Amino acid sequence: MTAPSHTPDIRRAWRRAGGPPAPRRRPWPDWAPLVAQVWGALYAAVIGGWAATGTAVPLRAHTYQPVAFLLAQAGLAVLAAGVCAVATGNRSRRGRMAAGALLALLIPAFGWGTIGLPIHFVTLASGSGVESATGLVHTLLNTCGAGLLAMVAVAHRRRLRGRCARCGQVHDGSGEGMWTALTHPPATTASARTRVTAYVLLCGLLPWAVVKTVWLFGGDAIGVSGEAWRNDVEAEATGASRALASVGVDVSVLAALLGVFLLAGLMYRWGQVFPRWTPLLAGRRVPRLLPLIPAWLTGGALSVYGTGLLVYALLSAVGVVPGLEPVGVFTTTEGLAWMVAFGGMSFGGLGAGLLVATRSYAARSRPVCAADRCADAYRLEPAGS
């Protein structure tokens, strides 16, 4: 069964139904590859400029990226732009398969650069300022690139499977042209299995939260006194974070609570339809990308960062890598190792929980092209019948 053709019968049916489907803006599978190509050129120009001028780009604390590494990233950006062009062209199946394989490699290659995104967000939200402007720009460029390449990869994979690149379903027409209206599913709650999995992963926050709470009330934990912790936080904090630290509240705790709130919204109905306690918006549909974009980005970055911390703590405990030297309020190597492990459990658990909830939300809220629905509504027969 094929999409209806433009015939006088269809136009009469449109008039009976109140007119044809309203024209929509260009679907994202069309514009995402073009934007990704522009991003690739911009990324290569910026990173190449930094390499040529010797601009310092942080890799981690007190360590900067070598020039060769910057040039390699610029080259990967050019490659990514070319792959996006190939993925959308009328190439052979072998060429399209090769483009898909390269996209699968390029996404994590740029995704690693999003790891610092939550840290930048917390420092900016707390008024602590920007520690490194180039580091922030580099993180944002990687974040945009990873997101765009993921969009191109999703549309490319759907096309290879003979599905609509826009909604992922099999239906009459391509869903990208005249038939571009979308139907949104009703708000639903995540399955019990998804909720249980997400809550179990959130339990990784408990050791970290318990230690922070003990310090908040002036107690000692893992070799650190509550008084020393508060004095250190107040000394390092600026702006709003200093005001919070003066009453014993760590800004990282508030950021974690924000992540938990986002996770809950992804699993329940109020994450798809604004609830009654949201003035002026109650009852309206939540824009799908509003929670999905921060959830995918934050969840992925926290998962990678937390897993890295946890692995390092385990390797340090068994002597594979050197133990961490006590710094700041930590007086023993063991205490610092425990805090690194707790941080890995908390960040990794929250990040993985966000990814589980986001996957469920994306599936439950996915709109479907209305081509078949429109054809049924107008009682149209397939062309050539």
Side-chain angles (χ1 to χ4, degrees):
M1 181 173 171
T2 58
S5 60
H6 298 286
T7 65
D9 290 338
I10 291 179
R11 287 192 286 270
R12 285 195 294 271
W14 280 346
R15 286 194 293 269
R16 289 197 303 270
R24 308 287 292 213
R25 59 182 179 271
R26 194 174 188 181
W28 66 266
D30 285 348
W31 58 255
L34 300 177
V35 177
Q37 293 173 55
V38 174
W39 162 84
L42 178 63
Y43 188 101
V46 172
I47 302 299
W50 286 345
T53 58
T55 302
V57 182
L59 181 61
R60 57 179 183 269
H62 311 299
T63 304
Y64 298 95
Q65 300 186 31
V67 173
F69 190 46
L70 291 175
L71 292 176
Q73 294 176 65
L76 285 177
V78 174
L79 175 62
V83 170
C84 290
V86 172
T88 56
N90 295 322
R91 312 290 178 179
S92 65
R93 181 169 181 81
R94 180 177 298 179
R96 287 180 284 145
M97 293 291 290
L102 286 173
L103 284 171
L105 296 175
L106 287 168
I107 292 173
F110 291 101
W112 75 270
T114 68
I115 295 175
L117 186 64
I119 299 175
H120 285 295
F121 172 77
V122 171
T123 55
L124 289 174
S126 64
S128 300
V130 178
E131 183 175 348
S132 170
T134 54
L136 176 59
V137 172
H138 186 255
T139 300
L140 293 177
L141 284 172
N142 279 290
T143 301
C144 292
L148 287 169
L149 292 177
M151 294 173 68
V152 175
V154 168
H156 183 65
R157 183 169 178 264
R158 289 173 177 174
R159 288 192 178 104
L160 285 177
R161 294 188 171 189
R163 297 177 177 270
C164 172
R166 191 170 179 221
C167 69
Q169 303 297 317
V170 177
H171 56 64
D172 292 340
S174 65
E176 303 172 4
M178 176 61 71
W179 310 100
T180 55
L182 289 175
T183 55
H184 293 270
T188 55
T189 300
S191 66
R193 181 178 180 180
T194 296
R195 298 197 303 271
V196 170
T197 303
Y199 288 138
V200 169
L201 290 170
L202 279 182
C203 290
L205 285 168
L206 293 178
W208 177 77
V210 168
V211 169
K212 292 275 187 173
T213 303
V214 171
W215 288 340
L216 171 63
F217 288 100
D220 299 344
I222 58 175
V224 177
S225 67
E227 182 180 0
W229 172 76
R230 174 175 290 189
N231 292 336
D232 182 72
V233 170
E234 291 184 2
E236 296 292 333
T238 59
S241 60
R242 177 182 289 275
L244 292 171
S246 65
V247 294
V249 178
D250 188 349
V251 68
S252 62
V253 175
L254 295 182
L257 292 176
L258 182 62
V260 173
F261 176 81
L262 175 60
L263 184 146
L266 293 167
M267 293 194 299
Y268 295 99
R269 288 171 48 88
W270 57 268
Q272 293 178 262
V273 177
F274 286 106
R276 288 178 294 179
W277 43 265
T278 52
L280 304 178
L281 297 174
R284 295 176 179 268
R285 182 176 59 84
V286 177
R288 187 167 180 260
L289 295 181
L290 181 62
L292 278 180
I293 290 177
W296 278 126
L297 295 177
T298 305
L302 287 177
S303 297
V304 175
Y305 183 62
T307 301
L309 289 179
L310 190 58
V311 169
Y312 187 88
L314 292 175
L315 294 178
S316 175
V318 298
V320 176
V321 297
L324 297 171
E325 293 295 331
V327 294
V329 297
F330 294 94
T331 57
T332 63
T333 299
E334 292 77 11
L336 181 56
W338 275 114
M339 196 59 193
V340 171
F342 291 162
M345 294 170 61
S346 62
F347 296 138
L350 178 58
L354 280 171
L355 292 180
V356 169
T358 304
R359 185 176 182 273
S360 172
Y361 184 94
R364 294 181 355 254
S365 63
R366 179 182 298 163
V368 179
C369 293
D372 297 330
R373 183 179 65 83
C374 290
D376 292 338
Y378 300 138
R379 300 179 181 178
L380 301 177
E381 296 294 329
S385 61

